[in-house]
Amino acid sequence: MITPDVGDLTGKRFAVYLRRSPGEKGSTKNQLSRIVRGIDSLERATGMKIDRRIVGKDIDKKKRFNAKKDLVKEGDIFNEGEGASGFKIESRPVFNELVRRVREGMYDGIVVESFDRISRDYGGLAYFGLPLWREDGKIFLGFNGEYLNDDLANEFLLGVTSSAASLTKAQEIEKSKKGRADAIDIGFIKAGRPEFIGSGTKAAGLDYREAYRLMKLNGENRDGNLIRPSDVAKAVGKTSKDGTGDNKWASAWYQKMKEYERLGVLESWLSAYEAFNAYIIALEGYPSVKWKNDKGVANIKKYTAGFFAYPAGIKVEQSKEYVEFPNVSKLDLDILAELEDPRDYPNRMFKVRRIKTIPPNLSEVQTQGRSRATRKN
């Protein structure tokens, strides 16, 4: 809402800024839908239409962000997208472009859902917002009733609320870090895993050992890529909708299993995968039902997630450390299934190793997707 005590806004032109912090639920598209009525009321108050076209990141997430193209677009809604920190303003290209346009006189002010969309701390708001407000007369509005005006008490109140928001977000970040650390300690990490029996995929229970045998039989080209990947995929039942072999799957898994073999963990990984499938089959129930509802299966799935995703260890991007998960092929799954905490496994055989000094020249299968993407760019 636009509070009446903001003053006369007639003829003022505003830009709308959208941002979601890392770890926050929802999206900037949800955020925009929440403030549509506020934008309508701002148009009535100013008598000026707000161009609903988006500058910055694609709000539907269908196109990858391209700064050269997306920051020169026309429109009055500036979308920073998801994962943009409320503390690191200078690393936000969309906000910086908005500030540039405001300084050049294209807008009389910036409107946001709440001031913590601009910054999670008062220092950030002061650095970017106060000079534009005090020296250039620009207007800052929040649809939650916040605004900057000449009332020092109002400025002080914003300082208090911004500091509170900063503290709350900092506490959320610390809580998230602790949650990730605790999860890793019990062998869990969010990542891809093989298609176990009962996992619900079309190729559930796929024979990776046979697939790799066929891959090696086909061989690779001079670039180290699998020859005729579609043939291998079709032979093991990994097909596309048109019935042809999924060559993308075969090519990717060839590279992955080839690296597992080079790193000396392939046999352990295959043996563990086969043991988990055998455990599910031994339950004598329809696999997909057991997968979803059996507590033992759920326990094993959780405690072994890290190993099945990164059997050779992983550089954890968030904590900047190297982690090695317990070798599942050496564990008794019947015991693991009954444990509320896998660290209670007899003789301390379930122990996650954390190494602060990250080994050099890690393979791609030892780094998280985000880390690989960063390295390529």
Side-chain angles (χ1 to χ4, degrees), residues 83-142:
S85 172
F87 294 99
K88 301 176 182 178
I89 295 180
E90 292 184 351
S91 66
R92 288 194 247 144
V94 180
F95 184 74
N96 283 297
E97 170 61 19
L98 171 57
V99 169
R100 185 191 69 78
R101 295 192 192 188
V102 171
R103 284 174 176 157
E104 290 185 356
M106 293 180 64
Y107 296 104
D108 298 299
I110 298 173
V111 62
V112 287
E113 184 177 34
S114 58
F115 271 36
D116 61 3
R117 298 304 86 197
I118 296 175
S119 177
R120 281 284 185 177
D121 60 19
Y122 191 51
L125 176 62
Y127 182 78
F128 282 91
L130 296 187
L132 288 172
W133 164 56
R134 284 178 176 154
E135 299 168 17
D136 299 326
K138 301 302 180 181
I139 305 168
F140 285 79
L141 296 178

Side-chain angles (χ1 to χ4, degrees), residues 1 10 33 44 85 97 184 193 271:
M1 71 178 192
T10 303
S33 67
R44 291 192 293 271
S85 172
E97 170 61 19
I184 287 175
R193 61 183 106 225
S271 296

Side-chain angles (χ1 to χ4, degrees), residues 228-302:
R228 299 190 305 279
S230 179
D231 293 349
V232 175
K234 188 170 184 179
V236 295
K238 187 67 178 178
T239 57
S240 302
K241 291 181 179 179
D242 60 1
T244 59
D246 187 342
N247 59 0
K248 185 177 180 180
W249 173 89
S251 296
W253 272 98
Y254 173 65
Q255 297 298 334
K256 186 177 288 190
M257 288 193 285
K258 184 170 69 171
E259 277 299 281
Y260 288 169
E261 185 173 44
R262 185 181 71 83
L263 294 165
V265 296
L266 179 62
E267 182 55 39
S268 293
W269 187 86
L270 289 171
S271 296
Y273 170 76
E274 291 159 355
F276 195 1
N277 281 337
Y279 177 88
I280 296 170
I281 293 172
L283 294 174
E284 298 180 352
Y286 183 63
S288 64
V289 175
K290 286 294 181 182
W291 177 264
K292 294 176 182 177
N293 302 326
D294 188 275
K295 184 178 180 181
V297 171
N299 283 345
I300 297 172
K301 177 186 174 185
K302 184 174 184 179

Side-chain angles (χ1 to χ4, degrees), residues 320-339:
K320 304 299 181 185
E321 61 184 345
Y322 183 70
V323 171
E324 290 182 345
F325 295 100
N327 186 339
V328 176
S329 68
K330 296 182 179 180
L331 301 176
D332 186 323
L333 297 187
D334 287 306
I335 295 176
L336 197 61
E338 298 299 321
L339 296 176

